[in-house]
Amino acid sequence: MDRYASPGDEAADRARQQERHYQLLSALQSLVKELPSSFQQRLSYTTLSDLALALLDGTVFEIVQGLLEIQHLTEKSLYNQRLRLQNEHRVLRQALRQKHLEAQQTCRPHNLPVLQATQQRELEALEHRIREEQQAMDRKIVLELDRKVADQQSTLEKAGVAGFYVTTNPQS
């Protein structure tokens, strides 16, 4: 036999929900007090109340947990890509140093200054290439992280979380 909630049970549930809402709102207000005043002004009571309501059923926590896992995987992947590039650069430098050392050992003394000048230009060209590759990788990483932030903002906006919308403005 199905049991239907009595009006008293529904009232008790609403009272528990209201109490939980106040607890979450109070916690959010405490967190906001720790922010610089310029940010505090942007978070109205209504926005905080809407955030507390969004937190009541736990769905937002699940969404944020999923977004956090995706972010961690992305960060780990990007970090590993950068490490691989740094290792490739280290190998290139070592190979060039070895090549230069071997050339210097077989070089006649009167040709050594010319060889060293050529090797210096070759080393500078390699260092320039490495710097450009690292900068390109860093730009790629920043763009990928920016895309992740936009995805997170979009997901939270679609979930109806107050105050979330897609923006590239770091002050928003």
Side-chain angles (χ1 to χ4, degrees), residues 43 46-52 54 60 156-157 159-165:
L43 296 169
T46 303
T47 300
L48 293 178
S49 180
D50 289 346
L51 284 172
V60 172
L156 292 170
E157 179 183 29
V161 179
F164 280 90
Y165 55 92

Side-chain angles (χ1 to χ4, degrees), residues 7-27:
D9 291 341
E10 289 177 15
D13 284 345
R14 279 195 303 274
R16 279 192 294 277
Q17 286 282 84
Q18 188 65 38
E19 178 60 29
R20 182 73 178 128
H21 176 254
Y22 286 137
Q23 289 172 350
L24 290 168
L25 179 57
S26 177

Side-chain angles (χ1 to χ4, degrees), residues 24-36 40 43:
L24 290 168
L25 179 57
S26 177
L28 288 170
Q29 287 172 322
S30 294
L31 289 172
V32 168
K33 286 179 184 173
E34 297 175 18
L35 295 173
Q40 288 180 27
L43 296 169

Side-chain angles (χ1 to χ4, degrees), residues 2-167:
D2 289 340
R3 179 176 177 260
Y4 294 96
S6 70
D9 291 341
E10 289 177 15
D13 284 345
R14 279 195 303 274
R16 279 192 294 277
Q17 286 282 84
Q18 188 65 38
E19 178 60 29
R20 182 73 178 128
H21 176 254
Y22 286 137
Q23 289 172 350
L24 290 168
L25 179 57
S26 177
L28 288 170
Q29 287 172 322
S30 294
L31 289 172
V32 168
K33 286 179 184 173
E34 297 175 18
L35 295 173
S37 62
S38 61
F39 291 111
Q40 288 180 27
Q41 295 169 358
R42 294 171 151 186
L43 296 169
S44 68
Y45 177 86
T46 303
T47 300
L48 293 178
S49 180
D50 289 346
L51 284 172
L53 284 172
L55 295 172
L56 278 177
D57 73 357
T59 304
V60 172
F61 287 113
E62 291 176 24
I63 291 169
V64 170
Q65 187 60 41
L67 293 172
L68 185 61
E69 289 173 17
I70 292 167
Q71 180 178 337
H72 286 162
L73 290 172
T74 301
E75 288 171 355
K76 185 175 181 179
S77 172
L78 293 170
Y79 176 75
N80 287 334
Q81 287 176 35
R82 193 161 198 293
L83 279 181
R84 278 193 298 277
L85 182 65
Q86 287 175 329
N87 285 334
E88 289 172 18
H89 291 159
R90 184 180 44 76
V91 168
L92 285 172
R93 283 183 181 111
Q94 286 175 342
L96 187 62
R97 275 195 294 270
Q98 185 62 35
K99 176 184 158 196
H100 287 178
L101 186 61
E102 290 170 2
Q104 287 175 10
Q105 290 173 346
T106 61
C107 181
R108 295 193 175 160
H110 67 278
N111 289 333
L112 192 58
V114 173
L115 176 65
Q116 287 174 331
T118 302
Q119 288 178 339
Q120 182 62 32
R121 285 190 301 275
E122 195 176 358
L123 179 62
E124 288 170 1
L126 177 65
E127 290 299 329
H128 178 74
R129 178 181 141 206
I130 287 172
R131 268 191 312 279
E132 286 188 354
E133 287 178 4
Q134 286 177 333
Q135 288 174 348
M137 173 63 77
D138 291 343
R139 281 190 298 274
K140 175 189 170 209
I141 288 170
V142 168
L143 288 173
E144 181 63 26
L145 292 174
D146 283 348
R147 276 194 291 275
K148 285 296 168 204
V149 167
D151 290 346
Q152 291 169 347
Q153 292 168 338
S154 174
T155 300
L156 292 170
E157 179 183 29
K158 288 175 184 171
V161 179
F164 280 90
Y165 55 92
V166 178
T167 180

